[in-house]
Amino acid sequence: MKKIALVTGGNSGIGYATAKLLKEKGYEVFISGRDPDRVKQAADTLGVNSIVADMTDPEKIRMLASQFLESGLDVLVNNAGIPKNFSISNLTVDDFSEIFNTNVRGPLLLIKELLPALDKRHGSITTVSSAITEMGKPNLFLYAATKGAVNAFTRSLAIELAPQKIRVNAVAPGITETSIFTKAGMNPEEIAEFKKILEADIPMGSLGRPEEIAQVIVAQVESTYVTGAVWNVDGGVSAV
Ligand SMILES: NC(=O)c1ccc[n+]([C@@H]2O[C@H](COP(=O)([O-])OP(=O)(O)OC[C@H]3O[C@@H](n4cnc5c(N)ncnc54)[C@H](OP(=O)(O)O)[C@@H]3O)[C@@H](O)[C@H]2O)c1
């Protein structure tokens, strides 16, 4: 029986690379995203299935999950996420809601709705966290708080769901070459400067590539005895 995998935010960056690798390994892959054109275009290129679902909308999350209730689901990669870069003095309630709803509430609601599907196939859940939880960086406090929440719920859910043989883990990438910087509103010159500064702090000397993160996500979901773990994939940054 072909294994079934869902990758949220699968139309770009780390999610796209993960969907590509899972497809190459023979999984039946579904990617989801919020923009219908972007998701369909990526799915067509990859030769996978696409579903439109905004992770901030609980009803859309319920509909996304409902597509797997009959078949069951082997792999959920909770990858969709957004950064926020501003100082505490500029914090607004709207920003707080947007980033927490995307990075924490969405993944948790999706896990809840998918439980019967994951239960059917003793599935595996990996949520994409971030190495930011191991560092203090100015202007990234809110993003760091969401990923700290991911690490915390990962450990607790792993224990709660172990009796059902559903494994729950996270992968915490360091800075990775994706369009996340552009989406955060940075221009090409700012990005080049930012990368130079960041690279100087990475023991391995270069930013991660989406494929390098995908490799670890897939190793984690394909393991059989790993649960409650947060794996750093950051070129050594969190060891400094
Ligand atoms: N790149 C890094 O340096 C880095 C480092 C550590 C952790 N991460 C984490 O890695 C994950 C993937 O990020 P990435 O770097 O690959 O960035 P990316 O290329 O921007 O990919 C993020 C994906 O999430 C989707 N997404 C965002 N908000 C969504 C929503 N409300 N509903 C559904 N989909 C949504 C995006 O869709 P759109 O195309 O519509 O925006 C996109 O497909 C995120 O959780 C991020 O926090 C990234």
Side-chain angles (χ1 to χ4, degrees):
M1 190 166 46
K2 219 172 181 184
K3 288 196 170 177
I4 303 177
L6 167 63
V7 182
T8 68
N11 61 274
S12 77
I14 294 166
Y16 183 92
T18 303
K20 184 166 185 286
L21 187 52
L22 287 167
K23 163 86 179 165
E24 284 164 9
K25 285 182 152 270
Y27 286 74
E28 174 154 13
V29 178
F30 292 76
I31 61 170
S32 68
R34 58 185 160 181
D35 181 275
D37 293 339
R38 278 204 292 270
V39 185
K40 182 163 184 334
Q41 199 180 9
D44 289 350
T45 309
L46 289 168
V48 303
N49 309 284
S50 67
I51 307 174
V52 178
D54 188 326
M55 291 299 287
T56 63
D57 183 336
E59 183 51 26
K60 296 282 170 9
I61 291 172
R62 203 186 55 73
M63 284 166 62
L64 170 62
S66 70
Q67 313 220 14
F68 300 95
L69 296 184
E70 205 179 306
S71 60
L73 185 67
D74 297 280
V75 170
L76 167 63
V77 182
N78 254 327
N79 162 77
I82 52 166
K84 282 278 172 189
N85 189 340
F86 52 67
S87 128
I88 182 73
S89 54
N90 293 324
L91 175 62
T92 66
V93 170
D94 284 350
D95 281 325
F96 187 94
S97 299
E98 187 194 1
I99 188 165
F100 263 87
N101 289 350
T102 310
N103 294 2
V104 183
R105 190 182 75 176
L108 282 174
L109 288 177
L110 186 57
I111 292 170
K112 177 200 163 187
E113 298 293 344
L114 281 170
L115 275 182
L118 289 160
D119 195 32
K120 261 188 186 167
R121 290 181 176 231
H122 302 309
S124 168
I125 301 163
T126 285
T127 304
V128 181
S129 178
S130 168
I132 189 72
T133 62
E134 306 280 329
M135 302 174 255
K137 290 279 176 211
N139 301 330
L140 285 169
F141 66 95
L142 197 53
Y143 180 62
T146 65
K147 298 302 187 178
V150 165
N151 295 355
F153 79 58
T154 292
R155 293 192 180 98
S156 288
L157 284 182
I159 307 308
E160 186 171 329
L161 299 179
Q164 289 166 254
K165 304 281 181 255
I166 297 173
R167 294 179 305 105
V168 188
N169 294 294
V171 161
I175 301 292
T176 308
E177 295 262 17
T178 69
S179 54
I180 208 163
F181 303 111
T182 316
K183 288 181 187 169
M186 293 167 74
N187 67 40
E189 292 76 39
E190 284 172 327
I191 293 173
E193 188 56 30
F194 188 53
K195 281 183 183 168
K196 236 192 289 166
I197 296 166
L198 292 170
E199 274 173 348
D201 288 339
I202 301 172
M204 293 284 286
S206 59
L207 304 191
R209 288 180 292 107
E211 296 74 21
E212 291 175 303
I213 313 302
Q215 214 175 52
V216 178
I217 293 172
V218 172
Q220 194 176 68
V221 300
E222 292 205 320
S223 68
T224 54
Y225 199 53
V226 178
T227 198
V230 178
W231 287 358
N232 296 326
V233 195
D234 58 14
V237 160
S238 54
V240 175

